Amino acid sequence: MSEVLKIDNVGRFFGDGDTRLDILKGAEFSMRKGEMVGLVAPSGTGKSTLLHLAGLLERPDTGNVYVNGRDCGALPDGERTTIRRSEIGFVYQFHHLLPEFSAAENVMMPQMIAGLGRHEARERAGQLLDYMRVGHRAEHRPAELSGGEQQRVAIARAVANAPLILLADEPTGNLDPVTAHYVFDALEALVRQSGLAAMIATHNHELAARMDRRVTLEEGRIVEL
């Protein structure tokens, strides 16, 4: 398995002097293709910050973030955006689907932004929605879907451009326990089948235990459990 994400001595802080707050301090982490990692850090310890740095949504104050061997720290915003769109997929606690578009159109959108034709984008969207067991809801808008269905559409959208890395921030945190397990089953199957690397933040230790390894955050550092 090859290393697709590396967090190298990363620091992230806010404020200055006596008001400075260190969120991450010398954080080290790497993830390989085909690996599922559970991030089980408590709220307020920097979990979202870590995911934002890994996903190139923020820049570290110190250290470097490597995606597929490429140092992304000094890259201009345009190149970082290109890498983020093509190599990184995101799933959030709240699905953030575009309400005026159907499920299929939501999954087509990132593909068309990346330059894929409408016909090809629709075909792949249909395949992904079928895989997530919501293909029969492809033409429904988000408001017409259940919470679990919306999240499965969001997962399909996140992997629509065949990324190397999937970052998920509490993807089942807004769902009841039964629906959460159902959605996680679909997410795990998709990750295993596609061979991408996934970091999934969750407070659910039962779900985290199903992943290849687990990490937490302690005093700004990433610690293996």
Side-chain angles (χ1 to χ4, degrees), residues 51-180:
L51 290 172
H52 288 172
L53 290 168
L56 309 185
L57 292 169
E58 296 182 25
R59 294 180 186 265
D61 294 302
T62 59
N64 301 287
V65 175
Y66 296 85
V67 174
N68 203 25
R70 187 176 186 184
D71 184 355
C72 299
L75 293 179
D77 289 342
E79 288 187 51
R80 288 167 61 89
T81 298
T82 298
I83 293 173
R84 189 166 58 244
R85 285 177 177 171
S86 62
E87 301 188 24
I88 303 171
F90 295 89
V91 182
Y92 300 97
Q93 180 174 351
F94 300 98
H95 52 80
H96 297 305
L97 297 175
L98 298 172
E100 66 270 30
F101 294 104
S102 69
E105 289 168 335
N106 268 276
V107 181
M108 291 166 61
M109 199 69 64
Q111 301 177 72
M112 295 175 67
I113 290 172
L116 199 64
R118 185 176 183 85
H119 176 75
E120 293 83 357
R122 180 170 286 279
E123 185 175 357
R124 176 157 172 77
Q127 292 169 350
L128 286 168
L129 291 173
D130 284 343
Y131 194 89
M132 297 301 293
R133 299 184 181 181
V134 284
H136 62 295
R137 308 285 273 162
E139 301 309 317
H140 290 74
R141 293 186 179 184
E144 301 171 302
L145 305 176
S146 70
E149 288 172 337
Q150 290 172 349
Q151 198 64 317
R152 278 180 276 157
V153 173
I155 293 167
R157 180 184 58 185
V159 300
N161 285 336
L164 293 173
I165 300 164
L166 179 69
L167 303 172
D169 193 355
E170 297 287 349
T172 63
N174 199 39
L175 305 173
D176 65 82
V178 173
T179 305

Side-chain angles (χ1 to χ4, degrees), residues 5 18 84 137 163 185 187:
L5 175 66
D18 293 339
R84 189 166 58 244
R137 308 285 273 162
D185 287 346
L187 173 59

